[in-house]
Amino acid sequence: MLSMEKIADIASKLGRPENVLADALKRYVMTRIIEFESVVKGMEEKYGMTFKQFEDRDMLNKLGHSWDVEQDYYDWDRAATELKKFKDMLKSLE
């Protein structure tokens, strides 16, 4: 694992270390946002509703708790939760 000193040294060769690291962090956060948005969009297309609507309509019970539906539910829940978290991170980086 790289030490903070080594990271700062490498970053300083590319510009002001704090700017280089902030830019890299923003790119990472935006990449994760795109990944989670893709999962959320795929589930919304598959089920024809938002995650909130899926929960409000008790679709997990209505669809019978099959392996596929439960796995989709947990993947969708995680993606929606992480998407919000990463969007909040991006706001704080701007």
Side-chain angles (χ1 to χ4, degrees):
M1 184 170 200
L2 291 175
S3 68
M4 285 305 295
E5 292 81 21
K6 183 71 172 171
I7 292 169
D9 181 53
I10 293 168
S12 69
K13 293 175 182 168
L14 300 170
R16 292 187 60 188
E18 58 274 10
N19 293 342
V20 171
L21 296 174
D23 289 345
L25 186 55
K26 284 179 191 175
R27 282 192 300 277
Y28 175 78
V29 168
M30 288 189 293
T31 298
R32 297 306 306 253
I33 287 170
I34 291 166
E35 291 170 6
F36 292 124
E37 282 178 337
S38 177
V39 172
V40 168
K41 183 180 179 194
M43 294 298 180
E44 287 176 349
E45 289 174 358
K46 181 174 182 176
Y47 291 98
M49 63 187 78
T50 66
F51 183 71
K52 181 168 176 10
Q53 291 169 327
F54 188 90
E55 283 191 313
D56 289 348
R57 295 176 187 173
D58 196 29
M59 295 305 293
L60 191 58
N61 284 321
K62 289 180 181 174
L63 295 172
H65 286 275
S66 71
W67 170 258
D68 290 337
V69 173
E70 286 212 16
Q71 188 64 50
D72 283 351
Y73 175 81
Y74 291 115
D75 291 344
W76 197 358
D77 183 31
R78 178 179 177 268
T81 301
E82 292 295 305
L83 179 58
K84 182 186 180 326
K85 181 175 84 177
F86 276 87
K87 283 183 173 182
D88 289 344
M89 280 186 224
L90 185 59
K91 284 180 188 174
S92 69
L93 288 169
E94 294 176 337

